[in-house]
């Protein structure tokens, strides 16, 4: 491999995980940060390490591509890792990286693939053409209120025809993601107000007021398939995940791999077959678009066992760690999917096939967030004074929050504190261990008015009981 | 009812009618200074402020050159000469301007002490609600009553509608640019109740007649 230097165009825990993956691959890294993020460990860790060259640059915004490319050139980087969020699914950014006068490698799929799959609408269209099941709803962004209302009316009508007692639809910002900019409408009369609110939100947050409308499935599990593909026509999967436990704003809070466990839960359908089906459908689509990186195929599975493809995330996922934790690759051991993503982007072959991958046990990810789960998961702002996690061989923690000094949570970003990845030989063991981990975690802090910190730890502990089950 | 010692406030501003303006690089790029210490600089001028102020420095980034101009009049008191021609990071302090406060600025500072000021409850981005933004666009007076939705606080990617909780009155000053980050405790909106409007006008008239620019 030619000498590489990777710019990490992200923040927080994922910036640290990318840094560690690069260290293991012997690749130099450079980080960027905003003034608000100066105290984050993703910056301070780099500043503490002795280095011959400058490795941390202050930029005006993580969302300004000119800032990223400007630092990339100044620091002499050969590649950019976008992490998740920000530019990770922006095909224009990936295209610019590839086509500029000083090209740099985008650590992710080719830009054409991001363009085709990065949009929920395109994904839906391609999936439909391959007979992969998708949720009924709009297949292009809607900008016209009358058109939106007509489709909403039709979707309510269809659900009533199907005998659904409480029909509802979802209104989504088409440029959104990660659960942001999504609202449910239960009555047609309330549609117009919600539509306008989402349209305004989309315009402010994403600069595009396009809105998607689709049938809201209420009794379902949210599953994912972890795919890895190289630029040499190699396709493997690292199993499934269950991400059903989410905040009211549809942000994931607990993820479990594998996606269902028929040994622990009695499902009203053939769970193993459903998991196999969604894996096969996902690989079919990946091969069709010549996918060439890590990616997540998101699925809805109803209580009746009907799967519907939701979207494809053409990037590393927050929860990639639990898929890696249950996977074993012959000759490699437990994989690191961020390392695999970097290797693939730099042109390496995988060096193994699906037959070399086996699965062992259950892994759970807890997203530890400073938020008030009793007040609509309202983000909590303030200063962390103490953050302590128990040490177990079956638990791994990823955090950007310093543990040796107070840390003020920047209000510009989500108040995520840490990810804890727990493993157990069975699902019940993993759940019990996750509870033990929570019970021995210490987080202290104070808010702007001196009030105590609020975190979602009690919520996570309680919701562990619902893991993998239809409630 | 407004209770303010205007004489004391005016004395305070007369003793030191200056403000130090610290100019930072808005983004990364190679910096080239156009001013030196002691230079007098002008802020934007023209009826609509259509003529930009004096160019302080340029930043070249990705082949594009951006001029950073003075936002207010004053004298350059500091230039970070050692970075001239070098790559600068964002938010680096590179120039200081010593600015003499104008009559309007004195009025603004004093009004902050006499109006009912609604402060930012959190460090966040703030926007007027669309209905009030439309009123403002039409250059009409915005009136607020307790309980009115009047601001959107955008914090940690979530929008929260803020309800007005002060005396009924007219929005006299907006202290923020919609979409900018406002620090917790900084003023957002200055409101005058109907019975205070006369006093506010008298304060403005007195400063207008007594303060020399």
């Amino acid at each position: 491999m030619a000498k590489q230097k990777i710019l990490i165009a992200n923040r927080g825990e994922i910036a640290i995980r990318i840094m560690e993956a690069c260290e293991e691959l012997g690749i130099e890294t450079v980080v960027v940060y905003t003034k608000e993020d100066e105290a984050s460990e993703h910056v301070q860790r780099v500043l503490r390490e002795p280095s011959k060259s400058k490795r941390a640059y202050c930029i005006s915004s993580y969302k300004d591509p000119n800032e990223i490319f400007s630092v990339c050139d100044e620091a002499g980087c050969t590649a950019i890792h976008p992490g998740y969020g920000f530019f990770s699914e922006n095909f224009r950014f990936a295209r610019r990286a590839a086509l500029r006068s000083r090209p740099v490698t985008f650590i992710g799929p080719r830009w054409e693939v991001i363009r085709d799959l990065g949009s929920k609408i395109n994904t839906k269209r391609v999936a439909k053409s391959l007979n992969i099941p998708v949720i009924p709803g709009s297949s292009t962004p809607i900008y016209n209120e009358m058109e939106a209302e007509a489709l909403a009316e039709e979707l309510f009508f269809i659900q009533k025809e199907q005998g659904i007692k409480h029909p509802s639809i979802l209104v989504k910002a088409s440029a959104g993601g990660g659960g942001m900019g999504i609202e449910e409408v239960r009555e047609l009369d309330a549609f117009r107000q919600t539509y306008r609110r989402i349209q305004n939100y989309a315009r402010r947050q994403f600069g595009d007021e396009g809105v998607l409308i689709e049938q809201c499935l209420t009794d379902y599990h949210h599953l994912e398939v972890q795919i890895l593909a190289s630029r040499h026509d190699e396709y493997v999967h690292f199993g499934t995940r269950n991400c059903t436990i989410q905040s009211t704003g549809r942000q994931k809070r607990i993820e479990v791999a594998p996606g269902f466990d028929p040994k622990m839960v009695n499902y009203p359908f053939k769970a193993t077959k459903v998991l196999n089906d969604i894996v096969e459908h996902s690989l079919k689509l990946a091969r069709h678009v010549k996918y060439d990186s890590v990616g997540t195929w998101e699925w809805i599975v109803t209580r009746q066992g009907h799967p519907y493809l939701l979207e494809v995330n053409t990037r590393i996922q927050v929860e990639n760690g639990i898929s890696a934790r249950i996977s074993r690759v012959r000759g490699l051991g437990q994989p690191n999917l961020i390392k695999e993503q970097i290797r693939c982007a730099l042109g390496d072959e995988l060096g193994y096939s699906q037959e070399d991958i086996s699965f062992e046990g259950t892994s759970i990810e807890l997203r530890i967030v400073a938020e008030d789960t009793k007040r609509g998961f309202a983000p909590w702002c303030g200063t962390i004074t103490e953050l302590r996690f128990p040490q177990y061989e079956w638990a791994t923690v990823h955090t950007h929050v310093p543990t040796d000094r107070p840390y003020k949570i920047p209000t510009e970003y989500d108040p995520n504190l840490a990810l804890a990845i727990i493993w157990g030989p069975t699902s019940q063991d993993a759940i019990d261990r996750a509870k033990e981990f929570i019970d021995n975690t210490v987080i202290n802090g104070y808010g702007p008015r001196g009030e105590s910190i609020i975190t979602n730890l009690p919520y996570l502990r309680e919701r562990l009981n619902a893991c993998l089950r239809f409630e | 009812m407004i209770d303010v010692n205007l004489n004391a406030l005016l004395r305070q501003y007369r003793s030191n009618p200056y403000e130090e303006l610290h100019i930072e690089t808005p983004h990364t790029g190679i910096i080239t200074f156009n001013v030196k210490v002691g230079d007098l600089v002008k802020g934007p001028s023209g009826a609509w402020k259509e003529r930009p102020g004096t160019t302080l420095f340029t930043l070249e980034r990705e082949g594009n050159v951006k001029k950073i101009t003075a936002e207010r009049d004053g004298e350059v008191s500091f230039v970070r000469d050692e970075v001239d021609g070098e790559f600068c990071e964002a938010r680096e302090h590179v120039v200081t301007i010593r600015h003499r406060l104008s009559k309007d600025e004195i009025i603004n500072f004093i009004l902050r002490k006499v109006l009912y000021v609604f402060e930012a409850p959190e460090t966040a981005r703030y926007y007027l609600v669309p209905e009030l933004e439309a009123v403002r666009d039409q250059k009409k007076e915005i009136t607020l009553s307790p309980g009115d939705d009047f601001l959107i606080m955008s914090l940690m990617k979530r929008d929260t509608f803020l309800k007005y909780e002060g005396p009924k009155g007219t929005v006299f000053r907006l202290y923020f640019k919609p979409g900018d980050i406002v620090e917790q405790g900084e003023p957002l909106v200055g409101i005058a109740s109907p019975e205070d409007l006369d006093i506010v006008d008298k304060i403005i008239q007195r400063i207008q007649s007594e303060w020399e620019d």
Side-chain angles (χ1 to χ4, degrees):
Chain A
M1 197 186 288
K3 188 156 174 57
Q4 300 285 345
K5 191 173 189 181
I6 294 180
L7 180 129
I8 302 169
N10 213 299
R11 62 180 298 276
E13 68 78 26
I14 188 63
I16 295 173
R17 273 199 280 173
I18 296 167
M19 212 181 292
E20 288 170 349
C22 288
E23 274 167 24
E24 288 178 32
L25 289 167
I27 297 173
E28 275 185 76
T29 52
V30 166
V31 297
V32 289
Y33 65 98
T34 59
K35 205 77 177 168
E36 295 75 23
D37 246 351
E38 204 166 9
S40 164
E41 265 300 280
H42 91 270
V43 185
Q44 292 304 318
R45 179 177 168 155
V46 169
L47 294 177
R48 279 196 304 270
E49 288 171 4
S51 171
K52 285 179 190 163
S53 55
K54 188 171 169 60
R55 288 187 54 213
Y57 290 82
C58 182
I59 57 172
S60 59
S61 163
Y62 295 108
K63 293 184 196 167
D64 184 343
N66 292 319
E67 289 288 77
I68 305 298
F69 287 116
S70 159
V71 172
C72 188
D73 290 347
E74 172 65 18
C77 293
T78 54
I80 297 175
H81 197 307
Y84 47 69
F86 299 127
F87 292 113
S88 59
E89 293 180 273
N90 184 322
F91 81 86
R92 291 180 181 87
F93 183 88
R95 182 175 62 190
R96 183 167 161 186
L99 302 180
R100 67 203 290 267
S101 57
R102 181 181 171 275
V104 285
T105 306
F106 178 81
I107 311 282
R110 286 174 292 116
W111 66 265
E112 295 93 335
V113 176
I114 304 176
R115 181 194 57 196
D116 291 347
L117 289 184
S119 143
K120 292 169 194 163
I121 297 152
N122 273 332
T123 304
K124 234 175 162 177
R125 218 172 1 228
V126 179
K128 262 185 183 172
S129 74
L130 295 171
N131 290 324
I132 296 171
V134 295
I135 300 170
S138 53
S139 52
T140 53
I142 299 174
Y143 295 89
N144 179 304
E145 194 169 288
M146 301 296 280
E147 191 188 335
E149 214 159 37
L151 178 60
E153 195 175 349
E154 189 185 323
L155 288 173
F156 273 107
F157 177 77
I158 291 170
Q159 290 176 75
K160 277 183 186 155
E161 289 282 290
Q162 289 171 346
I164 295 171
K165 279 184 187 165
H166 304 290
S168 68
I169 58 173
L170 288 181
V171 184
K172 302 178 173 183
S174 77
M180 308 304 289
I182 303 177
E183 279 194 47
E184 186 180 345
V185 178
R186 293 193 177 87
E187 284 173 19
L188 190 57
D189 289 349
F191 173 76
R192 189 173 289 192
Q193 199 183 4
T194 307
Y195 172 82
R196 287 179 183 170
R197 195 162 47 239
I198 293 291
Q199 196 180 39
N200 274 327
Y201 176 86
R203 192 188 306 125
R204 266 199 312 279
Q205 296 287 348
F206 312 115
D208 177 351
E209 59 181 42
V211 164
L212 290 181
I213 301 164
E214 61 190 29
Q215 181 176 336
C216 177
L217 300 166
T218 48
D219 195 9
Y220 62 82
H221 271 211
H222 184 139
L223 269 75
E224 296 180 342
V225 177
Q226 179 65 60
I227 299 285
L228 173 65
S230 75
R231 294 191 173 163
H232 305 278
D233 266 344
E234 300 164 294
Y235 301 88
V236 295
H237 70 86
F238 286 93
T240 55
R241 295 186 286 258
N242 190 316
C243 309
T244 307
I245 298 177
Q246 302 183 1
S247 70
T248 45
R250 293 180 189 276
Q251 290 195 296
K252 295 163 194 165
R253 287 294 175 263
I254 298 177
E255 294 102 336
V256 189
F260 288 130
D261 183 357
K263 284 182 193 154
M264 186 180 83
V265 180
N266 190 18
Y267 296 101
F269 52 84
K270 289 178 180 160
T272 308
K273 182 183 180 303
V274 171
L275 293 181
N276 289 338
D277 284 351
I278 63 173
V279 166
E280 282 316 307
H281 282 314
S282 302
L283 283 168
K284 185 178 176 185
L285 182 53
R287 287 194 182 98
H288 178 79
V289 297
K290 296 199 177 303
Y291 199 75
D292 58 352
S293 184
V294 292
T296 296
W297 269 242
E298 296 208 1
W299 291 84
I300 292 287
V301 178
T302 64
R303 184 183 283 270
Q304 293 74 35
H306 300 307
Y308 297 101
L309 180 66
L310 198 58
E311 62 183 36
V312 177
N313 295 141
T314 57
R315 57 170 159 88
I316 193 76
Q317 201 87 351
V318 178
E319 57 271 26
N320 76 82
I322 54 169
S323 297
R325 190 68 185 80
I326 62 163
S327 303
R328 300 287 179 277
V329 178
R330 194 180 298 150
L332 189 72
Q334 195 180 299
N336 175 335
L337 294 178
I338 300 174
K339 266 168 76 176
E340 296 305 279
Q341 180 193 27
I342 295 169
R343 285 203 314 113
C344 287
L346 298 179
D348 277 10
E349 289 183 13
L350 286 183
Y352 51 85
S353 64
Q354 194 64 52
E355 287 70 42
D356 297 314
I357 300 171
S358 59
F359 299 99
E360 194 181 321
T362 297
S363 187
I364 296 176
E365 177 172 87
L366 306 169
R367 296 197 191 192
I368 302 171
V369 183
E371 63 184 358
D372 189 348
T373 54
K374 290 178 181 157
R375 277 203 313 123
F377 293 79
W380 182 89
C381 318
T383 302
I384 308 290
T385 53
E386 187 179 15
L387 184 66
R388 235 170 340 113
F389 298 107
Q391 307 288 314
Y392 300 112
E393 60 175 13
W394 40 261
T396 311
V397 177
H398 301 294
T399 180
H400 63 285
V401 178
T403 49
D404 57 348
R405 60 186 185 278
Y407 173 76
K408 191 167 190 297
I409 302 172
T411 56
E412 272 293 270
Y413 313 109
D414 287 334
N416 300 328
L417 302 182
L419 301 176
I421 295 172
I422 313 292
W423 181 85
T426 67
S427 297
Q428 193 56 53
D429 288 335
I431 290 169
D432 293 342
R433 286 177 171 183
K435 287 180 181 173
E436 186 183 338
F437 180 90
I438 291 170
D439 291 344
N440 292 298
T441 293
V442 178
I443 307 176
N444 285 313
Y446 57 87
R449 285 163 286 276
E451 70 276 20
S452 284
I453 186 171
I454 302 172
T455 74
N456 65 348
L457 284 176
Y459 165 86
L460 293 176
R461 197 185 192 292
E462 192 183 319
R463 295 298 285 153
L464 277 166
N465 296 323
C467 272
L468 301 169
R469 299 175 193 280
F470 277 86
E471 292 178 300
Chain B
M1 200 66 161
I2 290 170
D3 179 21
V4 64
N5 186 342
L6 190 57
N7 290 332
L9 282 172
L10 283 171
R11 253 197 318 277
Q12 183 194 323
Y13 285 113
R14 276 203 186 99
S15 67
N16 181 21
Y18 293 100
E19 192 182 0
E20 298 274 310
L21 308 173
H22 294 273
I23 315 295
E24 295 181 337
T25 48
H27 57 67
T28 62
I30 294 170
I31 194 164
T32 306
F33 289 107
N34 291 50
V35 291
K36 55 185 186 307
V37 172
D39 282 359
L40 294 178
V41 295
K42 289 217 163 291
S45 56
W48 300 275
K49 302 284 180 204
E50 74 279 13
R51 282 193 288 278
T54 311
T55 301
L56 302 174
F57 56 89
T58 58
L59 275 176
E60 187 188 342
R61 185 184 64 169
E62 283 284 281
N64 299 311
V65 177
K66 184 173 185 173
K67 286 181 182 176
I68 309 301
T69 55
E71 287 295 317
R72 289 195 266 174
D73 300 350
E75 183 183 337
V76 177
S77 60
F78 166 78
V79 175
R80 208 173 140 207
D81 288 317
E82 73 273 18
V83 295
D84 199 17
E86 301 287 322
F87 180 86
C88 270
E89 294 173 62
R91 311 256 314 251
E92 285 194 48
H93 171 214
V94 286
V95 172
T96 304
I97 296 170
R98 191 162 187 252
H99 165 72
R100 192 176 198 282
L101 293 169
S102 68
K103 199 179 286 182
D104 283 348
E105 285 162 340
I106 294 289
I107 291 171
N108 260 330
F109 278 121
I110 291 177
L111 283 185
R112 273 192 206 183
K113 295 190 165 72
V114 300
L115 295 173
Y116 172 80
V117 174
F118 188 92
E119 294 173 347
E122 306 280 1
T123 301
R125 293 179 194 278
Y126 291 86
Y127 304 86
L128 275 177
V129 295
E131 294 78 13
L132 296 187
E133 193 63 64
V135 175
R136 188 168 166 246
D137 285 347
Q138 292 164 20
K139 307 227 182 296
K140 288 185 184 166
E141 209 168 64
I142 299 174
T143 51
L144 291 175
S145 298
D148 286 353
D149 279 335
F150 77 127
L151 290 172
I152 299 169
M153 177 174 75
S154 189
L155 173 78
M156 291 166 168
K157 294 196 273 181
R158 287 162 197 243
D159 286 355
T160 308
F161 282 77
L162 295 184
K163 288 201 186 301
Y164 177 63
E165 293 164 350
K168 185 178 177 182
T170 306
V171 172
F172 218 83
R173 286 286 188 275
L174 275 186
Y175 294 115
F176 70 101
K177 273 189 201 159
D180 276 2
I181 296 176
V182 182
E183 293 289 325
Q184 186 191 14
E186 287 294 306
L188 288 170
V189 185
I191 295 124
S193 58
E195 59 270 27
D196 286 341
L197 277 175
D198 278 352
I199 303 169
V200 170
D201 279 341
K202 277 180 190 160
I203 289 172
I204 292 172
Q205 279 168 22
R206 186 166 159 207
I207 300 168
Q208 292 277 17
S209 60
E210 286 187 18
W211 192 271
E212 288 171 15
D213 265 343

